[in-house]
Amino acid sequence: MRSRCMSMALGSICNFLSRPSYVANMHHRNTVLSRQISMEAQSVAARLNSSGFLRTLGLIGGKWIEAYDGKTMTVHNPATGDVVANIPCMGGRETNDAIGSAYNAFRTWSKLTAAERSKCLRKWYDLIISHKEELGQLITLEQGKPLKEAIGEVSYGASFIEFFAEEAKRIYGDIIPSPLADRRLFVLKQPVGVVGVITPWNFPLAMITRKVGPALACGCTVVIKPSELTPLTALAAAELSIQAGIPPGAVNVVMGNASEIGDALLASPQVRKITFTGSTAVGKKLMAGAAGTVKKVSLELGGNAPCIIFDDADLEVALKGTLATKFRNSGQTCVCANRVIVQEGIYEKFANAFSHAVQNLKVGDGFGEGVAQGPLINDAAVHKVDSFVQDAISKGAKVLLGGKRHSLGTTFYEPTVLTDVKNEMLISREEVFGPVAPLLRFKTEEEAIHIANDTNAGLAAYIFTTNVQRSWRVSEALDYGIVGVNEGLISTEVAPFGGFKQSGLGREGSKYGMDEYLELKYVCLGNIS
């Protein structure tokens, strides 16, 4: 009888939800909400434009320029689909001129003392911090992340400029004891030269400052190619670099035809290094292309981060850490937990508690009050996420929460939790880059390590355990460049960031990040006696 009553109640609810009047009311509600979102974003864009903070031209040799052929492209707000700005669609010719400008500026910038370069970087840092509200608004406009998170990115991005302003004064060489009495041997560290900087859309400021900060500190000059999806933050940061006294030509920004710009950077013998953050597939092409002129290359590529939660983990700590690392920036980070691997003793308990926490995440436009998750970057990203979810479902995974586009429309996707996920599913093999948490089950420590390492990626991994001995064992056994133990947010300017295997080459941030932009020169002085 109770089952029948429940069935009747559910039937009544379904009938109500399918009524034309209800559907029309929900459509009207979402339309009104979309209109409010659009108006707020347009108001922010108008304020930034009137203040001169919204730059929409490329920067070559200290001059703001259009594309030579006059072509333009549009930057869209992913939350609304509205056009934020039109920008030049540049190509090979503009890039070659930017390279020439950087090459000429290198002759003078590299000859400045480390202290002088440090002062310019410090001024740049101060300007970024004093404009963090505007920069945060710009990031939310073109990238979509919540405003609080965007302003956090500005502080994080600025920290690299501050750190490397200090490190500029600590580029030390060595004196080597000579085996011969009449000789003196020493080692100098000198800037590599012009650097091609290619950055992604998910962190439009931090991915630039993490590369440009050490490059400038070492005495290099740069040609930046930001993502065509999020160039406005890069242009605003470049404007602030000019105001900081960094000389014309030291920082150049070109955007538009990615293949033409990339080809020009790779072909030029004046560009001595490429630094790139993005997909592994593009990274491989850049690495191959750099061989023609034997450039230095540093690559921060894709991830497939495991988040291992052992039976003995503090559940509250594990929930907080997993939530932070999985849903930051709507899951659109290279160090997001891509696989949540939970020991069988607490699997059900964790799944239920985690789903409850995820359910409380507020989804909406980044300018909305209390919003924790914004939109995905574009429709292609939504299609990819949904295809991964559908593949998992077709192979036996269960949707505990979400699993579809959000009712807000455009590129919003529901925060999603999947259970009964297997290692052979697409979502376990490749980076989903979206707000989907697949939960895998394991029995033993050895099995967890095997599952975690069973991938070509090796960027970041996470462990939650209260067993100190286990934390050491598993940290050392994981084939990853970064391991967070009982912590989901691991990025900092003072620690090396980079991966093993096909997650890249080299390190960014910390004192080790300076070495990527320096050449070692050995000098032998003879006939001293």
Side-chain angles (χ1 to χ4, degrees), residues 189-385:
K189 291 184 179 181
Q190 294 184 312
V192 67
V194 176
V195 179
V197 177
I198 306 174
T199 59
W201 48 263
N202 57 341
F203 289 89
L205 181 70
M207 295 301 95
I208 288 173
T209 57
R210 198 162 75 183
K211 299 172 186 297
V212 174
L216 292 176
C218 290
C220 300
T221 54
V222 298
V223 177
I224 304 168
K225 193 212 83 67
S227 168
E228 288 69 41
L229 300 173
T230 57
L232 304 177
T233 305
L235 295 171
E239 165 61 26
L240 294 178
S241 78
I242 295 171
Q243 293 180 24
I246 295 172
V251 175
N252 304 272
V253 184
V254 292
M255 60 271 173
N257 188 315
S259 60
E260 281 193 23
I261 294 171
D263 288 345
L265 290 171
L266 291 170
S268 173
Q270 293 180 335
V271 176
R272 296 309 312 141
K273 176 182 171 63
I274 296 289
T275 174
F276 169 74
T277 295
S279 72
T280 300
V282 174
K284 288 178 179 179
K285 291 179 181 178
L286 291 172
M287 190 174 178
T293 49
V294 195
K295 303 183 196 303
K296 290 188 75 168
V297 177
S298 56
L299 305 170
E300 195 262 283
L301 308 177
N304 188 1
C307 180
I308 306 172
I309 300 164
F310 289 97
D311 283 348
D312 60 24
D314 182 314
L315 189 61
E316 187 176 341
V317 171
L319 285 170
K320 181 181 177 182
T322 307
L323 197 69
T325 186
K326 173 66 256 184
F327 291 97
R328 181 188 181 200
N329 198 16
S330 301
Q332 300 175 117
T333 88
C334 52
V335 293
C336 273
N338 202 59
R339 299 166 291 156
V340 183
I341 307 169
V342 187
Q343 200 159 13
E344 59 182 5
I346 61 166
Y347 185 89
E348 300 297 339
K349 184 178 181 181
F350 178 86
N352 291 330
F354 186 65
S355 295
H356 180 73
V358 173
Q359 195 168 22
N360 292 328
L361 294 176
K362 183 178 179 181
V363 179
D365 175 65
F367 292 109
E369 188 69 31
V371 168
Q373 182 184 303
L376 298 186
I377 188 64
N378 56 23
D379 206 50
V382 178
H383 281 298
K384 178 187 175 183
V385 169

Side-chain angles (χ1 to χ4, degrees), residues 398-410:
K398 295 181 177 62
V399 177
L400 207 57
L401 186 72
K404 60 183 183 298
R405 282 179 179 263
H406 200 280
S407 59
L408 286 171
T410 59

